[in-house]
Amino acid sequence: MHGRRFADARSPYRREPETRPISYTWAFLRALPLLLIVAGACHDFFTPSDFRAGPLFTAAPLVAAPLYSLRGTVLSGVAAVSTVLAVHLGLGILEQADAVTESVTIVTVAVLAVLVNVLVRRTHARLASAREIAEAAQRAVLPEPAARIGGLDIAARYEAAQAGAFIGGDLYAVQDSPHGVRLVVGDVRGKGMGAVAAVAVVIGAFREAAEQESTPEAVAQRLERALSREGTRRDGLDAFEGFTTAVLAEIPHGAGVVRIVNRGHPAPLLLLPDGTLRELEAREPAPPLGMGDLGSLPDRAEEWAFPPGSTLLFHTDGVSEARDARGEFYDPVHRLSGRVFPAPGPLLTAVTEEVARHTGGRATDDMALLAVRRPEHP
């Protein structure tokens, strides 16, 4: 019941202390241009004329430029200039040289603030377009699997280390086949478009091999050959940066077992219905994909019991290598032992939220998670 309680108690408990200060700060910033204008007017009316509030009036449109719309920025500039002229008129100094200079300066800054606003808006539009393109690319390269495949409940989650980033080197794929439900979870070494290209190669090769190959070992070999072939085709700066850690699994239809081939990837976790957790460590470690030049070892699938009501959790090292401020790793084995989750979705929510708390929101690596649950009653 620990997992259920954690999964249900989310936003009100965790996010309220974080979002309230942000909301207050944002409201203050939005009001700051008006506050600066009012403070400048009060300063000029109630202090000696030798002390002028020109810098406050000047700052108002500059503060508004990155925060307001174009219309709001223009209105802030007009309000600052109008208030200064009204103050000068009320004090009887409208035609004095210092007052004229101050007014011209504020008008110039207001015009510059409008130009800054236009540039900021254009930059935001380009960034939004780039994010939309990246999101579309991720959906094309890394589509979210269906919630139920081959009689199994499925949930997947991709969490980028940087806010606004959508694609990277982590990958997952699930496919039903004549041999059972087959899946792959992996992590490509490197970043950028080279890593994305490797993700596309691995997932493309997996989907083809999952249908055609009779064993998970043969699927792993197909992925190895695909990466090797693509690495040979590319050269120079466009070449693949290195290897890909991956774990492949096959869950035969109607059998309470899972067959796993692990190529240098973090071990899957098996969460049993009573809260017991087993780490499915490979008995014979194998090198990651793409390291065939160092010598190849024959892949051997290892078979594990996968009883009804159990959940398999696959993850990348963005989970197991997430560090807190003291440099301590997040340990999913310790954190999830003894807990029961009603479905794959709440399990992934619990893990991602715990990792975020553990790192204080300062994760340095993307993480991909895939949970597969065998229902108690098919």
Side-chain angles (χ1 to χ4, degrees):
M1 295 301 293
H2 299 285
R4 185 187 300 271
R5 184 176 66 248
F6 180 88
D8 292 341
R10 294 191 290 174
S11 300
Y13 176 79
R14 183 175 70 91
R15 296 178 184 172
E16 186 175 350
E18 298 176 3
T19 56
R20 278 189 174 179
I22 294 175
S23 299
Y24 294 151
T25 302
W26 180 249
F28 171 75
L29 290 175
R30 296 279 297 180
L32 186 56
L34 177 60
L35 295 176
L36 289 171
I37 293 172
V38 172
C42 294
H43 179 278
D44 279 352
F45 271 119
F46 299 110
T47 60
S49 59
D50 292 339
F51 301 96
R52 309 297 288 274
L56 297 178
F57 293 112
T58 302
L62 288 177
V63 172
L67 300 177
Y68 288 8
S69 64
L70 177 60
R71 180 182 178 184
T73 303
V74 171
L75 291 176
S76 296
V78 171
V81 173
S82 300
T83 304
V84 167
L85 293 177
V87 169
H88 291 171
L89 183 62
L91 295 176
I93 60 173
L94 184 62
E95 297 181 356
Q96 292 184 8
D98 289 346
V100 172
T101 300
E102 184 180 49
S103 299
V104 171
T105 300
I106 296 172
V107 170
T108 303
V109 172
V111 172
L112 290 175
V114 171
L115 295 177
V116 169
N117 179 271
V118 171
L119 293 175
V120 168
R121 293 290 162 182
R122 289 179 178 177
T123 301
H124 285 173
R126 286 196 294 267
L127 290 175
S129 177
R131 285 195 294 268
E132 290 174 0
I133 293 172
E135 188 174 7
Q138 186 195 31
R139 286 196 297 264
V141 175
L142 199 66
E144 185 174 349
R148 193 169 181 86
I149 299 176
L152 302 173
D153 297 328
I154 309 290
R157 189 76 56 86
Y158 190 103
E159 294 286 333
Q162 297 178 344
F166 291 99
I167 53 178
D170 291 8
L171 62 96
Y172 52 74
V174 185
Q175 185 161 324
D176 200 1
S177 77
H179 313 284
V181 176
R182 287 176 166 175
L183 61 91
V184 61
V185 176
D187 187 358
V188 176
R189 178 184 178 273
K191 299 291 184 182
M193 293 308 298
V196 175
V199 168
V201 169
V202 171
I203 292 181
F206 167 77
R207 295 201 180 281
E208 182 180 5
E211 288 289 334
Q212 298 176 356
E213 300 294 345
S214 60
T215 65
E217 293 94 333
V219 175
Q221 288 301 312
R222 282 280 288 272
L223 301 189
E224 180 74 50
R225 291 194 298 270
L227 283 173
S228 177
R229 183 170 57 250
E230 190 68 12
T232 301
R233 186 179 69 83
R234 295 167 177 260
D235 55 13
L237 294 177
D238 195 37
F240 283 160
E241 297 184 37
F243 55 83
T244 299
T245 67
V247 57
L248 296 102
E250 176 184 274
I251 306 170
H253 297 133
V257 298
V258 56
R259 302 186 184 107
I260 294 175
V261 174
N262 194 326
R263 297 295 295 268
H265 198 76
L269 305 179
L270 177 64
L271 287 74
L272 298 174
D274 62 357
T276 302
L277 185 146
R278 296 176 183 170
E279 190 173 14
L280 307 185
E281 287 277 7
R283 301 183 184 95
E284 298 183 22
L289 300 170
M291 299 185 68
D293 293 343
L294 301 180
S296 59
L297 296 174
D299 286 300
R300 291 188 176 87
E302 299 178 2
E303 188 171 286
W304 305 82
F306 186 26
S310 300
T311 302
L312 281 165
L313 175 62
F314 302 84
H315 62 85
T316 56
D317 58 11
V319 175
S320 54
E321 295 185 3
R323 296 173 182 261
D324 62 11
R326 297 171 295 181
E328 296 181 0
F329 291 112
Y330 173 81
D331 184 359
V333 175
H334 174 72
R335 296 295 187 94
L336 299 176
S337 293
R339 298 166 65 177
V340 177
F341 298 88
L347 168 60
L348 299 191
T349 298
V351 173
T352 54
E353 291 187 350
E354 283 194 355
V355 170
R357 279 205 302 273
H358 184 78
T359 61
R362 297 182 297 272
T364 58
D365 194 8
D366 297 353
M367 60 180 181
L369 302 102
L370 179 67
V372 181
R373 183 175 186 269
R374 180 184 293 279
E376 295 185 16
H377 305 290

